[in-house]
Amino acid sequence: MKPLPGLFSRREILKKLGLSAAAVGLASLGGARAQAADSGTASPGPSAPPAPRGPYTLPELGYPYEALEPVIDAQTMEIHHSKHHQAYISNANRALAAYPDLGRMSPEELLQNMRRVPGSIAVAVRNNVGGHANHALFWDILTPGGPKEARGALASRINADFGNRDTFLREIGEAAGARFGSGWAWLVAYNKKLSVISTANQDSPLMDGYVPLLGIDVWEHAYYLKYQNRRSEYVGAVMSVVNWDKVGERFAAAMR
Ligand SMILES: [Fe+2]
């Protein structure tokens, strides 16, 4: 579609930023680009040695990049998964290269035990192992199929802890909208009760003892190509493609 006078097409925006569409994967548009560098997700540069191949590897998405169209476009999914998520994994593998004992822990276990992480790699682990775990959860709860609303014990718990489903949806929407800059909005379990929280950057709820059940990525790289500055529209849309069976499985595990 031809852009309106005075507005730039997506291709022109990328050109002005000196980026090809594919290159956006290593540094998302706008302010998130600088933030990515701050948080350890930027490319380490052409002279850096290749990242170790482990301990982490990029998990299969399990469904095609176009599976969530039109809510999340295929290009965003491909860049998000194959570039951004991969960058977190590569940077996490670099950080953990000298600490094989830490690398043998699952990402979730490591995030729950940040006190064991040496100070020299603590920021890199927080940002990149957090980024890995957060995105792995995100892909899972967006697996196509499943019910579009919570059912059974999870629905009952939502009603008990939020009053009703609409209040929960309003709270998570507000948490996503209120998160300044980049981060996540979450439905979490803590002491077998549910609540909504948000975290900055790639901080994981696991670092504070919460069990994440559902996460909404509100980094611009998650929505900018399709929704530009309309974060609330993206949040409402992405909530419509949540697979509540997957959230329910996480809820059941957290309640054990
Ligand atoms: Fe993301």
Side-chain angles (χ1 to χ4, degrees):
M1 190 173 73
K2 194 169 168 44
L4 295 170
L7 297 179
F8 299 118
S9 69
R10 185 172 68 191
R11 182 170 296 175
E12 287 168 329
I13 293 170
L14 296 175
K15 196 172 167 189
K16 284 174 184 299
L17 290 171
L19 300 167
S20 68
V24 178
L26 286 178
S28 61
L29 298 173
R33 189 180 184 202
Q35 201 156 12
D38 289 346
S39 61
T41 58
S43 167
S47 59
R53 297 171 74 90
Y56 305 136
T57 54
L58 184 66
E60 291 284 334
L61 197 57
Y63 46 90
Y65 288 129
E66 66 271 22
L68 300 171
E69 293 264 17
V71 170
I72 306 179
D73 59 285
Q75 187 182 22
T76 294
M77 286 296 289
E78 181 171 6
I79 294 170
H80 201 171
H81 176 255
S82 68
K83 303 296 184 185
H84 287 275
H85 192 171
Q86 180 61 62
Y88 294 120
I89 288 170
S90 297
N91 288 334
N93 288 345
R94 285 189 184 92
L96 294 171
Y99 301 92
D101 54 328
L102 298 180
R104 280 190 283 276
M105 299 166 73
S106 72
E108 290 77 14
E109 194 181 0
L110 187 50
L111 291 163
Q112 288 171 318
N113 292 279
M114 286 295 292
R115 67 189 181 283
R116 292 177 56 180
V117 177
S120 59
I121 61 165
V123 171
V125 166
R126 180 177 181 168
N127 290 333
N128 295 293
V129 179
H132 175 28
N134 292 344
H135 285 87
L137 180 149
F138 191 52
W139 310 136
D140 181 57
I141 58 105
L142 294 180
T143 302
K148 297 303 166 200
E149 289 183 20
R151 298 192 293 199
L154 175 54
S156 300
R157 194 72 247 170
I158 287 174
N159 287 333
D161 292 340
F162 294 95
N164 53 55
R165 174 176 173 270
D166 287 347
T167 302
F168 156 66
L169 292 173
R170 194 188 72 239
E171 285 192 23
I172 199 164
E174 288 173 352
R179 167 51 54 196
F180 183 76
S182 299
W184 293 74
W186 301 96
L187 171 67
V188 296
Y190 183 80
N191 281 345
K192 303 195 185 301
K193 295 197 81 169
L194 302 182
S195 57
V196 162
I197 65 167
S198 79
T199 59
N201 301 315
Q202 294 297 351
D203 285 357
S204 166
L206 294 165
M207 291 162 46
D208 293 318
Y210 297 105
V211 179
L213 307 180
L214 181 163
I216 305 175
D217 187 344
V218 295
W219 282 62
E220 286 185 344
H221 69 223
Y223 64 88
Y224 203 90
L225 288 178
K226 181 177 173 70
Y227 295 92
Q228 291 85 50
N229 62 328
R230 304 187 305 279
R231 181 190 285 185
S232 63
E233 186 183 331
Y234 153 75
V235 170
V238 82
M239 286 298 293
S240 75
V241 292
V242 168
N243 182 330
W244 282 93
D245 273 347
K246 296 289 186 180
V247 182
E249 289 168 12
R250 293 173 182 275
F251 168 75
M255 294 296 123
R256 280 185 204 124

